[in-house]
Amino acid sequence: MQANEFNKRRQRLMQDIGVGNIALIGSAMPRTRNRDVDYPFRQDSDFFYLTGFNEADALAVFVPGREEGEYILFCREFDPTKALWEGAHAGLEGATKHYAADQAFPIEDVPERLPELLAGKRKVFYPLGHDADLDASVLEWLKELRQKARSGVSAPHELSALEQILHEMRLFKSAAELKLMRHAAEVSAQGHIKAMQTCKAGRYEYQVEAELVYHFMQAGLRAVAYPSIVAGGKNACTLHYTTNDCELQDGDLLLIDAGAECDHYAADITRTFPVSGRFSDAQRQLYQLVLDAQYAAIAEVKPGATWIQPHEAAVEVLTRGLVKLGLLKGSVKKLVKDEKYKAFYMHRTGHWLGMDVHDVGDYKIDDTWRTLEPGMVLTVEPGLYIPADCKKVDPQWRGIGIRIEDDVLVTEDGHEVLTHSAPKTIAEIEAIMQGA
């Protein structure tokens, strides 16, 4: 992503927080996996959104109107020994030269310099409650400043959650962000096709997962956006199943919920298909019902619609279909009102998508479902899950779990399905799996 994109975000943030105030945000920190081995580093999404800086041990400070520079970055100084063992890092010179900080100081200087930057400000914006160490430090700095009141030094009198501003910014995707999301979506879609092509009875779920990850990495996307769900048979009825260690059985369905991450932006796709390459009659009926529900939900993604409308459309179609198939009995309207469909469909039809797979942004404003606007990206993912031990339904339905999920952009005149390349009709899936 171009440096100008990050600069635009910082300028908008500083315009929103206003002259006379200050904002702070810290980087992610390394996390220990075991003993002296860390998990692969992944930068905090909010921090990266504003800085593009992909290192730990950093603190970004934004001071609108400050003559010496509005954007200050505290980070690690360049260490030749560290570079030898762990690789290149920016250092103070790189922070200004490559990441456009107006000033850069060693991270060790934070305790000394932050009280000076806070002095005279009215309000401090930072991620309240996100980092216990930062919470404690801010309170200590404010205490230090208040002790200097007789010397004419004033301390900020208000703390405010930075997320209120920042997450509203992140909810609306720019052209640069959408370019990354489209790439993540396309690579992920092709990975799902590879999974369909290589799936067969006798393979293990983790082997299919390996096909996905292999394709993502071959395409240059080295991180998955979230732990992949590869759930054969009744495992698909566990919504967040990630064990992925069972053998695939002929006659079962395989549900895959997996997406790649492109430069911190996620794709999120779910496809469900038959291990044997052909749907059984019962699988076909349930699958088509879920697909019809998804089509109905996607049709509701447009400017002016509310967040809940796609979900309501999916629920209506699913409930009507469940009654027709005999899995529910009664009036569709009353079944929906009483939420009886939740026996087989217990989650919402989507979520915001962006730098985080369950991305930031309010779903309601003043207790009213939010209106969809151009630039928002959401998933649309209805499903049906019939537990294997559900005695109240005909045995032919038991143990079937189906979900179909796409990533959808709200456009000026409707919507764009970013993940359109991932096949989802019965005819398309069966043709791919049979090598047509």
Side-chain angles (χ1 to χ4, degrees):
M1 192 176 290
Q2 296 294 320
N4 187 50
E5 178 80 8
F6 296 105
N7 184 56
K8 287 180 181 178
R9 296 169 183 175
R10 292 192 292 268
Q11 291 304 314
R12 180 180 167 188
L13 174 74
M14 285 189 276
Q15 182 179 359
D16 286 347
I17 66 176
V19 174
N21 300 316
I22 186 171
L24 321 171
I25 187 167
S27 69
M29 297 300 291
R31 300 296 179 191
T32 302
R33 180 183 184 275
N34 61 300
R35 194 167 169 81
D36 57 352
V37 177
D38 289 340
Y39 285 103
F41 180 75
R42 204 284 190 178
Q43 187 59 278
D44 176 82
S45 294
D46 285 340
F47 183 88
F48 189 85
Y49 181 82
L50 291 172
T51 68
F53 192 73
N54 203 25
E55 296 181 23
D57 298 316
L59 178 75
V61 182
F62 307 98
V63 192
R66 180 173 177 266
E67 291 185 4
E68 303 91 330
E70 296 180 310
Y71 168 35
I72 306 107
L73 185 61
F74 292 87
C75 62
R76 296 175 298 195
E77 295 184 85
F78 184 78
D79 181 345
T81 302
K82 185 178 182 65
L84 175 65
W85 284 89
E86 299 179 16
H89 48 283
L92 304 183
E93 181 180 352
T96 55
K97 183 176 180 180
H98 301 300
Y99 295 95
D102 296 316
Q103 289 182 306
F105 299 108
I107 190 67
E108 293 82 7
D109 288 2
V110 167
E112 174 188 349
R113 292 185 178 273
L114 249 296
E116 298 174 4
L117 293 169
L118 291 167
K121 305 300 183 294
R122 297 187 300 273
K123 185 184 295 188
V124 183
F125 292 84
Y126 80 99
L128 289 163
H130 181 70
D131 182 334
D133 290 337
L134 183 58
D135 285 334
S137 294
V138 169
L139 294 177
E140 184 62 32
W141 296 328
L142 295 182
K143 178 181 177 181
E144 180 181 330
L145 289 174
R146 289 183 183 122
Q147 291 172 344
K148 299 178 180 179
R150 292 185 180 181
S151 303
V153 177
S154 63
H157 56 77
E158 185 176 345
L159 302 178
S160 187
L162 181 62
E163 299 96 313
Q164 289 182 324
I165 297 173
L166 191 53
H167 290 180
E168 185 69 11
M169 291 171 58
R170 282 180 54 189
L171 181 57
F172 296 87
K173 274 58 179 182
S174 67
E177 290 177 287
L178 290 173
K179 182 178 180 181
L180 296 175
M181 293 187 73
R182 287 190 179 97
H183 185 56
E186 181 60 26
V187 169
S188 300
Q190 295 303 315
H192 278 262
I193 292 173
K194 294 293 184 184
M196 293 177 189
Q197 292 172 332
T198 58
C199 175
K200 61 181 179 180
R203 298 198 83 192
Y204 282 81
E205 292 165 340
Y206 56 77
Q207 291 177 307
V208 179
E209 179 184 12
E211 296 285 353
L212 286 160
V213 176
Y214 174 79
H215 177 78
F216 296 167
M217 286 199 173
Q218 284 286 7
L221 306 188
R222 294 193 56 204
V224 293
Y226 52 95
S228 300
I229 297 170
V230 184
K234 66 181 181 180
N235 293 336
C237 295
T238 300
L239 299 185
H240 290 162
Y241 173 86
T242 55
T243 308
N244 300 353
D245 65 354
C246 290
E247 185 178 4
L248 301 179
Q249 303 296 321
D250 193 19
D252 280 349
L253 293 177
L254 177 61
L255 184 155
I256 298 179
D257 187 339
E261 183 177 277
C262 178
D263 196 13
H264 294 79
Y265 286 83
D268 187 3
I269 302 175
T270 306
R271 291 294 184 263
T272 309
F273 50 90
V275 172
S276 66
R278 284 195 179 278
F279 290 88
S280 71
D281 183 59
Q283 293 167 351
R284 184 180 299 268
Q285 291 182 72
L286 286 178
Y287 184 91
Q288 190 61 51
L289 175 54
V290 175
L291 185 58
D292 289 343
Q294 198 210 28
Y295 285 143
I298 290 175
E300 295 298 322
V301 179
K302 54 193 172 185
T306 63
W307 165 261
I308 200 64
Q309 281 178 230
H311 178 69
E312 291 174 335
V315 165
E316 172 75 19
V317 172
L318 289 172
T319 305
R320 192 173 300 280
L322 289 169
V323 170
K324 184 177 180 180
L325 295 175
L327 282 91
L328 289 177
K329 290 180 172 36
S331 158
V332 172
K333 185 175 181 180
K334 189 171 190 314
L335 289 168
V336 170
K337 181 181 178 181
D338 295 341
E339 298 185 331
K340 296 299 185 183
Y341 60 87
K342 285 191 173 181
F344 308 115
Y345 177 49
M346 58 292 295
H347 59 78
R348 291 279 184 197
T349 304
H351 52 78
W352 300 128
L353 183 71
M355 298 185 80
D356 300 315
V357 68
H358 295 153
D359 208 32
V360 297
D362 291 330
Y363 292 94
K364 282 186 173 182
I365 298 178
D366 297 328
D367 290 327
T368 300
W369 290 109
R370 184 162 201 151
T371 299
L372 299 180
E373 299 178 58
M376 296 174 170
V377 180
L378 61 151
T379 65
V380 179
E381 50 177 312
L384 286 174
Y385 314 91
I386 320 296
D389 59 356
C390 187
K391 305 299 184 184
K392 64 182 179 180
V393 303
D394 190 290
Q396 67 175 324
W397 311 117
R398 296 175 191 170
I400 295 178
I402 298 168
R403 184 164 62 252
I404 308 171
E405 178 181 21
D406 282 295
D407 306 341
V408 185
L409 165 68
V410 184
T411 63
E412 294 289 344
D413 56 358
H415 61 260
E416 174 191 345
V417 180
L418 303 180
T419 47
H420 63 88
S421 295
K424 62 183 177 183
T425 69
I426 291 174
E428 289 172 334
I429 290 171
E430 290 187 341
I432 286 173
M433 297 191 71
Q434 292 165 38

